[in-house]
Amino acid sequence: SIQNLSEEFAEAARQLKKEAPRIQFGKIDVTHQHDLRKEFNIQAFPTVKFFVNGSREDPIDCKGVRKASTFITWVKRRTGPSTVLINSTDQAEAIIKADDLAVIGFFRELHNDSVEVFCETARDVPEMPFGMTASQDVCASYGIQRNSLVVFKKGKPVHKEVLEDGRQNKLVLTRLIKTFTLDLVTEYNIETSVKIFDVPVENHILLFTPTNSETFNEIYENYRSTAAEFRGKILFVLVDTNEARNGRIFEYFRIRDIDVPAVRILNLTSDAKYKMPADEVTVENLKEFCQSYLNGKAKQHLSSEEIPEDWDKMPVKVLVGKNFNSVIF
């Protein structure tokens, strides 16, 4: 809520006042400051912007940060080094074991585009510690031969991404790493919905099914194993159709009891919805659906009522999704 974020923001300001007195904090109620709201194009609440070197041009948006500790890390990484330089295996182990999640960059040398992109990515992912090393001993102890980014979860490596020479896409890396703050498949509920939308992956796939059905375990395993292949590109969400509080999301996707299990993809930017053509939730069908969507070949699903029999009998024609295009265009 706005109240919660306001309190966390104030707590961060209190702590940073001692540690970084040069950073000033301010709060604006834009309901009374229309000019500022227009100048900085404030559309969502709350919005946090970071102004650098006294310039009001191009402030940096601070998105998806909700806790004081994370906010402090975000600010510190914007004003100082964003990663810890690792010189020994003991130092690497200490970082990896200090939190649930950690990201380590292993490099042949510390002056190239890959390192720069890694450090830029660290600035945008304050939820976890970042370290980097060019020590041959450290790389060898983790069996790393090429420039690589490794995500550790609970002390164990869970993902390795080879960083090719040249500039990689920072947003792609940010999306991939942020997905580790969620489970591989995240069950949708009031608590997780905020986290789901904080991860900057615009493609969401949703499995609608009752979790107490006889076929649930098999379907869920198929869904979960597919999720591993598309991590960072598509966010996998599970919606329990037995949960009454999920009613609004069924309505939004026009899901009826007769339809489940059902699989849909939603693009958050365009709000376009896609329906998996196959009925069976198999690994093969899921992979084909996800791949055709990413390749731009999936057909958009337009929820529609049936065309009424007498739709064209009167001077004013009755339009629904299914006859809208053919009649109008």
Side-chain angles (χ1 to χ4, degrees):
S1 72
I2 291 176
Q3 179 64 32
N4 279 356
L5 192 88
S6 190
E7 286 166 14
E8 293 288 327
F9 185 73
E11 179 55 34
R14 271 195 294 276
Q15 290 187 40
L16 280 168
K17 193 172 181 182
K18 299 171 200 158
E19 295 178 48
R22 285 177 58 245
I23 299 168
Q24 304 291 314
F25 286 78
K27 194 161 68 167
I28 298 168
D29 180 354
V30 290
T31 51
H32 306 297
Q33 302 287 338
H34 299 293
D35 290 351
L36 288 176
R37 182 176 181 175
K38 191 175 174 187
E39 180 183 349
F40 298 115
N41 191 25
I42 308 297
Q43 293 174 346
F45 301 101
T47 292
V48 178
K49 287 183 182 284
F50 187 49
F51 294 85
V52 184
N53 295 332
S55 167
R56 64 197 293 155
E57 302 296 321
D58 298 323
I60 303 161
D61 279 327
C62 179
K63 291 177 182 171
V65 175
R66 294 177 185 274
K67 287 186 180 166
S69 57
T70 318
F71 189 76
I72 290 165
T73 304
W74 188 91
V75 171
K76 281 182 173 176
R77 288 185 188 175
R78 290 275 161 193
T79 55
S82 59
T83 63
V84 175
L85 185 59
I86 295 168
N87 295 311
S88 69
T89 306
D90 286 349
Q91 200 185 353
E93 282 297 297
I95 291 171
I96 290 161
K97 287 176 177 166
D99 279 278
D100 265 5
L101 289 161
V103 182
I104 309 289
F106 297 89
F107 299 100
R108 283 191 296 273
E109 45 102 15
L110 290 178
H111 301 286
N112 60 34
D113 286 343
S114 295
V115 173
E116 207 173 305
V117 171
F118 181 79
C119 293
E120 285 171 13
T121 304
R123 286 192 199 114
D124 286 339
V125 190
E127 294 90 343
M128 55 192 89
F130 275 66
M132 66 178 182
T133 186
S135 156
Q136 286 185 324
D137 291 347
V138 178
C139 290
S141 64
Y142 289 96
I144 308 285
Q145 273 125 22
R146 300 168 68 189
N147 287 352
S148 301
L149 170 160
V150 181
V151 180
F152 292 84
K153 192 164 190 172
K154 298 194 188 317
K156 292 189 171 63
V158 287
H159 184 85
K160 178 182 166 188
E161 190 79 11
V162 173
L163 301 171
E164 304 294 351
D165 292 336
R167 279 191 74 81
Q168 292 206 248
N169 188 324
K170 183 188 69 135
L171 183 58
V172 169
L173 288 180
T174 304
R175 281 174 174 163
L176 173 70
I177 295 165
K178 282 223 181 197
T179 60
F180 287 93
T181 61
L182 296 171
D183 295 328
L184 196 51
V185 172
T186 306
E187 184 166 352
Y188 181 91
N189 56 43
I190 290 160
E191 290 77 38
T192 61
S193 62
V194 172
K195 289 182 181 178
I196 288 168
F197 290 111
D198 277 348
V199 174
V201 178
E202 64 174 359
N203 308 313
H204 289 189
I205 187 168
L206 301 96
L207 167 63
F208 294 86
T209 185
T211 55
N212 64 353
S213 73
E214 288 174 21
T215 55
F216 174 71
N217 287 345
E218 187 189 340
I219 287 171
Y220 182 76
E221 266 323 300
N222 293 343
Y223 194 60
R224 194 179 153 76
S225 64
T226 311
E229 195 168 314
F230 292 94
R231 185 151 217 165
K233 296 179 185 135
I234 303 177
L235 206 59
F236 278 63
V237 179
L238 169 68
V239 184
D240 182 2
T241 53
N242 275 346
E243 175 54 72
R245 284 178 299 182
N246 290 338
R248 282 175 67 187
I249 199 167
F250 310 150
E251 281 173 33
Y252 180 70
F253 283 92
R254 297 262 183 112
I255 302 286
R256 303 162 302 168
D257 288 345
I258 197 171
D259 298 325
V260 299
V263 179
R264 301 283 187 274
I265 285 178
L266 171 68
N267 180 292
L268 265 61
T269 306
S270 65
D271 214 32
K273 303 177 191 74
Y274 302 81
K275 177 184 178 182
M276 186 166 79
D279 289 330
E280 284 185 69
V281 185
T282 62
V283 173
E284 193 182 347
N285 289 340
L286 285 164
K287 282 185 181 176
E288 200 172 308
F289 180 40
C290 291
Q291 204 52 63
S292 71
Y293 168 75
L294 291 173
N295 294 344
K297 291 179 179 169
K299 199 170 154 195
Q300 199 171 327
H301 177 58
L302 304 168
S303 302
S304 175
E305 300 163 49
E306 290 305 316
I307 302 168
E309 282 181 25
D310 58 352
W311 73 271
D312 62 345
K313 298 284 186 286
M314 303 297 282
V316 177
K317 312 301 177 194
V318 178
L319 301 178
V320 293
K322 285 182 178 173
N323 68 348
F324 186 87
N325 265 1
S326 57
V327 175
I328 301 298
F329 302 113

